[in-house]
Amino acid sequence: MRTILKRALGVTALWLLMSCVHIFAQQAGCATNQPTSAALERLQGTWQGVMVGHESAGKITITVSSNSFHFHRDTNFWFDTTITLPPGKDPQQLHATIKRSAGGDSIGEVVVAIFKIVDGTLTLATRGGGAEEAATSFDDENVSRYELRKVQPLKKNIELLKPK
């Protein structure tokens, strides 16, 4: 009986120790990933703007929800992607893996962009899909640059207009 009790206590102690180690490891991991989470948090929402130099092509709308990124220019040019923000990049990078697109021929392609948010304006610059390296400058002539401002989703705008 005592042997069984000792083994049960030993197993319980080991389980508690491993649980504590797991919790502390998760907390340490959260602290390491915090900058990426903060950057992703700032991207959340709906943004509208234009491709710089091609304003006549129409308005661009980008919606970010969690790690889902939807880019929409028109019915023939839109992408649903999953994004990651690699830590330690300067300028900050965004890697978008295309899940769905207007033409359907870009699925699985990764588009790398650099981004910054300054004074409420989101600036994205990309060399496009298939580019070997990320853009290094927002002023590079060989990148597509987008400038967007955060907007409230239509649903919120309608709620603001409702009489109280």
Side-chain angles (χ1 to χ4, degrees):
M1 180 76 156
R2 287 184 188 191
T3 305
I4 294 172
L5 185 57
K6 284 182 182 178
R7 283 186 185 165
L9 287 174
V11 169
T12 302
L14 180 61
W15 180 83
L16 286 171
L17 178 63
M18 293 306 292
S19 297
C20 289
V21 168
H22 180 70
I23 289 169
F24 288 125
Q26 281 184 329
Q27 288 175 345
C30 289
T32 312
N33 295 333
Q34 191 172 2
T36 301
S37 297
L40 187 57
E41 184 63 33
R42 292 185 313 135
L43 285 171
Q44 301 299 301
T46 300
W47 302 81
Q48 286 187 336
V50 294
M51 181 177 172
V52 176
H54 299 275
E55 290 80 2
S56 62
K59 193 176 283 189
I60 306 293
T61 302
I62 292 174
T63 304
V64 181
S65 177
S66 185
N67 70 334
S68 295
F69 183 100
H70 179 78
F71 178 99
H72 187 272
R73 183 187 70 199
D74 57 45
T75 56
N76 297 317
F77 196 76
W78 60 266
F79 303 93
D80 280 331
T81 73
T82 301
I83 60 170
T84 58
L85 307 179
K89 301 292 184 180
D90 186 24
Q92 178 71 58
Q93 289 185 11
L94 177 150
H95 295 198
T97 303
I98 299 173
K99 297 186 313 185
R100 297 181 338 145
S101 66
D105 56 348
S106 303
I107 307 226
E109 190 173 301
V110 177
V111 178
V112 179
I114 57 174
F115 75 94
K116 63 181 177 180
I117 300 174
V118 177
D119 296 330
T121 298
L122 168 63
T123 303
L124 286 164
T126 180
R127 294 184 182 185
E132 294 287 324
E133 296 179 21
T136 56
S137 169
F138 293 96
D139 298 321
D140 185 342
E141 293 178 7
N142 297 317
V143 301
S144 297
R145 192 175 79 213
Y146 301 90
E147 291 186 356
L148 308 106
R149 305 247 338 141
K150 193 174 268 192
V151 297
Q152 288 190 2
L154 183 58
K155 183 178 176 182
K156 285 187 179 179
N157 288 334
I158 291 171
E159 288 174 9
L160 290 174
L161 296 174
K162 287 181 183 177
K164 294 182 180 182

